[in-house]
Amino acid sequence: MSTTSVEPTRSVDVVRKARRAPRRHHVFVVAALAVVLFGAFVARVLLGNFIITVPDFFRILGGAEIPGATFLLMSEKLPRAILGVLVGVAFGSAGAVFQSTLRNPLASPDIVGVSLGASASAVFAIVVLDLQGLALSIAAIVGAIAIAVAVRLVAGSDGSYRLVLVGVTAAAAMTAVVHYLFTRANEFDALLVLRWLTGALNGVTWPTIWILLGFLVVLVPALIWTARSAQIVQLGPDVATGLGVSRRHTDLLLLIAVLLTALGVAAAGPVAFVAFVAGPISRALNGGRTTLVGAALVGAIVMVAGDYIADYAVPGVSFPVGVVTGAFGAPFLLWLLAAGRAGRKA
């Protein structure tokens, strides 16, 4: 065999190995995050002030009645853990889509006003329209979509930084609306409004979980299928258009992300910074490459672990999960801004 035929073969082998390495690393990252999520889920369900053993857990799932343990597991621990996973998946994947599509680490749904749009709409429905239940959740979804459309129309196509600025302004306006309505609420409504200020997993019902799960079964595969061209979008609007990825495709991708955010807020309230931190953490673990599955898993880990810390970190005091994620996300935002500024100076 001549050397001329061997060299192309070696080149092909090098290219194949170069392609396999990121894939193997991605699989490893996803598997590791899944293991961490499983550990957080087990801790949230079995540990705490009232410890449930593994045999008792399976006995209860099989229909056994254990005084105290059955009620606590099926009415508090298990539904909160499951809802935390579902909401975390919704927020994490939506945040990664916003940041990768708009090519801006600050462009997450909770930063650009989508989450607060849902919250303000829900608070308005509580205080002014006296709605509750399913109608309240629908109002939150409508509010998120309305704010997302308004921000998109005002920002136009001038770039992601303009969209972020418009979104931050919209978020500030929605915060003012929520605070004003809070002052107009009676004592009973004020307790309901508090959930829409910080976000919480307590008081969840199984019907809420099943409805959210049904929507995620439809939207998450649609998001993954639509996001196959996300890497092309990251190259810029001009290059993406030249390669056949139109602005309509980008808007469809963002619309699905908005729906996921709205559903998460409708189920648990505007839990702060989950959508914001999931994308950067998953990208850092994946060698700087966007991974929707990794972001969804990181979002679920933050939600479940945050809820565990909120419930048991201070003895005798239970905080909403949004307090913990906010305390974690605020320093993360400052670090991200400082890292970005340092990168530009370098």
CSV table of all heavy atoms in Angstrom, one decimal, residues 263-286:
chain,number,residue,atom,x,y,z
A,263,LEU,N,-45.4,27.6,31.8
A,263,LEU,CA,-46.0,26.4,32.6
A,263,LEU,C,-45.3,26.2,33.9
A,263,LEU,O,-45.9,25.9,34.9
A,263,LEU,CB,-45.8,25.2,31.7
A,263,LEU,CG,-46.7,25.1,30.5
A,263,LEU,CD1,-46.2,24.0,29.5
A,263,LEU,CD2,-48.1,24.9,30.9
A,264,GLY,N,-43.9,26.5,33.9
A,264,GLY,CA,-43.2,26.3,35.2
A,264,GLY,C,-43.7,27.4,36.2
A,264,GLY,O,-43.9,27.1,37.4
A,265,VAL,N,-43.8,28.6,35.7
A,265,VAL,CA,-44.3,29.7,36.6
A,265,VAL,C,-45.7,29.4,37.1
A,265,VAL,O,-46.1,29.6,38.3
A,265,VAL,CB,-44.2,31.0,35.9
A,265,VAL,CG1,-44.8,32.1,36.8
A,265,VAL,CG2,-42.8,31.4,35.6
A,266,ALA,N,-46.6,28.9,36.2
A,266,ALA,CA,-48.0,28.6,36.6
A,266,ALA,C,-48.0,27.5,37.6
A,266,ALA,O,-48.9,27.5,38.5
A,266,ALA,CB,-48.8,28.1,35.3
A,267,ALA,N,-47.1,26.6,37.6
A,267,ALA,CA,-47.1,25.5,38.6
A,267,ALA,C,-46.4,25.8,39.9
A,267,ALA,O,-46.8,25.4,41.0
A,267,ALA,CB,-46.4,24.2,38.0
A,268,ALA,N,-45.3,26.6,39.9
A,268,ALA,CA,-44.5,26.9,41.1
A,268,ALA,C,-44.2,28.3,41.4
A,268,ALA,O,-43.6,28.6,42.4
A,268,ALA,CB,-43.2,26.1,41.0
A,269,GLY,N,-44.7,29.2,40.5
A,269,GLY,CA,-44.3,30.6,40.7
A,269,GLY,C,-43.0,31.0,40.0
A,269,GLY,O,-42.3,30.1,39.5
A,270,PRO,N,-42.6,32.2,40.1
A,270,PRO,CA,-41.4,32.7,39.4
A,270,PRO,C,-40.2,32.4,40.2
A,270,PRO,O,-39.5,33.3,40.8
A,270,PRO,CB,-41.6,34.2,39.2
A,270,PRO,CG,-42.5,34.6,40.4
A,270,PRO,CD,-43.4,33.4,40.7
A,271,VAL,N,-39.8,31.1,40.3
A,271,VAL,CA,-38.6,30.8,41.0
A,271,VAL,C,-37.4,31.4,40.4
A,271,VAL,O,-37.0,31.1,39.2
A,271,VAL,CB,-38.4,29.2,41.1
A,271,VAL,CG1,-37.2,28.9,42.0
A,271,VAL,CG2,-39.7,28.6,41.6
A,272,ALA,N,-36.7,32.2,41.1
A,272,ALA,CA,-35.6,33.1,40.6
A,272,ALA,C,-34.4,32.3,40.2
A,272,ALA,O,-33.9,31.4,40.9
A,272,ALA,CB,-35.3,34.2,41.6
A,273,PHE,N,-33.8,32.7,39.1
A,273,PHE,CA,-32.4,32.4,38.6
A,273,PHE,C,-32.2,30.9,38.2
A,273,PHE,O,-31.1,30.6,37.8
A,273,PHE,CB,-31.4,32.7,39.7
A,273,PHE,CG,-31.2,34.2,39.9
A,273,PHE,CD1,-31.5,34.8,41.1
A,273,PHE,CD2,-30.6,34.9,38.9
A,273,PHE,CE1,-31.3,36.2,41.2
A,273,PHE,CE2,-30.4,36.3,39.0
A,273,PHE,CZ,-30.8,36.9,40.2
A,274,VAL,N,-33.2,30.1,38.3
A,274,VAL,CA,-33.1,28.7,37.9
A,274,VAL,C,-32.8,28.6,36.4
A,274,VAL,O,-31.8,28.0,35.9
A,274,VAL,CB,-34.3,27.8,38.2
A,274,VAL,CG1,-34.1,26.4,37.7
A,274,VAL,CG2,-34.5,27.8,39.7
A,275,ALA,N,-33.6,29.3,35.6
A,275,ALA,CA,-33.4,29.4,34.1
A,275,ALA,C,-32.1,30.1,33.8
A,275,ALA,O,-31.4,29.7,32.8
A,275,ALA,CB,-34.5,30.1,33.4
A,276,PHE,N,-31.7,31.0,34.6
A,276,PHE,CA,-30.5,31.8,34.3
A,276,PHE,C,-29.2,31.0,34.6
A,276,PHE,O,-28.3,31.0,33.7
A,276,PHE,CB,-30.5,33.0,35.2
A,276,PHE,CG,-29.2,33.8,35.2
A,276,PHE,CD1,-28.9,34.6,34.0
A,276,PHE,CD2,-28.3,33.8,36.2
A,276,PHE,CE1,-27.7,35.3,34.0
A,276,PHE,CE2,-27.1,34.6,36.2
A,276,PHE,CZ,-26.8,35.3,35.0
A,277,VAL,N,-29.1,30.2,35.6
A,277,VAL,CA,-27.9,29.5,36.0
A,277,VAL,C,-27.7,28.2,35.3
A,277,VAL,O,-26.6,27.7,35.1
A,277,VAL,CB,-27.7,29.3,37.5
A,277,VAL,CG1,-27.8,30.6,38.2
A,277,VAL,CG2,-28.8,28.3,38.0
A,278,ALA,N,-28.8,27.6,34.8
A,278,ALA,CA,-28.7,26.2,34.3
A,278,ALA,C,-27.9,26.2,33.0
A,278,ALA,O,-27.1,25.3,32.8
A,278,ALA,CB,-30.2,25.7,34.0
A,279,GLY,N,-28.1,27.1,32.1
A,279,GLY,CA,-27.3,27.1,30.9
A,279,GLY,C,-25.8,27.3,31.1
A,279,GLY,O,-25.0,26.5,30.6
A,280,PRO,N,-25.3,28.3,31.8
A,280,PRO,CA,-23.9,28.5,32.0
A,280,PRO,C,-23.2,27.3,32.7
A,280,PRO,O,-22.1,26.9,32.3
A,280,PRO,CB,-23.8,29.8,32.8
A,280,PRO,CG,-25.0,30.6,32.4
A,280,PRO,CD,-26.1,29.5,32.2
A,281,ILE,N,-23.9,26.8,33.7
A,281,ILE,CA,-23.3,25.6,34.4
A,281,ILE,C,-23.2,24.4,33.5
A,281,ILE,O,-22.2,23.8,33.5
A,281,ILE,CB,-24.2,25.3,35.7
A,281,ILE,CG1,-24.1,26.4,36.7
A,281,ILE,CG2,-23.7,24.0,36.3
A,281,ILE,CD1,-25.0,26.2,37.9
A,282,SER,N,-24.2,24.1,32.7
A,282,SER,CA,-24.2,23.0,31.8
A,282,SER,C,-23.2,23.2,30.7
A,282,SER,O,-22.5,22.2,30.3
A,282,SER,CB,-25.6,22.7,31.3
A,282,SER,OG,-26.0,23.8,30.5
A,283,ARG,N,-23.0,24.4,30.2
A,283,ARG,CA,-22.0,24.7,29.2
A,283,ARG,C,-20.6,24.5,29.7
A,283,ARG,O,-19.7,24.0,29.1
A,283,ARG,CB,-22.2,26.1,28.6
A,283,ARG,CG,-23.4,26.2,27.6
A,283,ARG,CD,-23.3,27.5,26.8
A,283,ARG,NE,-23.3,28.6,27.7
A,283,ARG,CZ,-24.4,29.2,28.1
A,283,ARG,NH1,-25.6,28.7,27.7
A,283,ARG,NH2,-24.4,30.3,28.8
A,284,ALA,N,-20.4,25.0,31.0
A,284,ALA,CA,-19.1,24.9,31.6
A,284,ALA,C,-18.7,23.4,31.8
A,284,ALA,O,-17.6,23.0,31.5
A,284,ALA,CB,-19.0,25.6,32.9
A,285,LEU,N,-19.7,22.6,32.2
A,285,LEU,CA,-19.4,21.2,32.3
A,285,LEU,C,-19.2,20.5,31.0
A,285,LEU,O,-18.5,19.4,30.9
A,285,LEU,CB,-20.6,20.5,33.1
A,285,LEU,CG,-20.8,21.0,34.6
A,285,LEU,CD1,-22.0,20.3,35.1
A,285,LEU,CD2,-19.6,20.6,35.4
A,286,ASN,N,-19.8,21.0,30.0
A,286,ASN,CA,-19.8,20.3,28.6
A,286,ASN,C,-18.7,21.0,27.7
A,286,ASN,O,-18.8,20.9,26.5
A,286,ASN,CB,-21.1,20.4,28.0
A,286,ASN,CG,-21.3,19.4,26.8
A,286,ASN,OD1,-20.8,18.3,26.9
A,286,ASN,ND2,-21.9,19.9,25.7
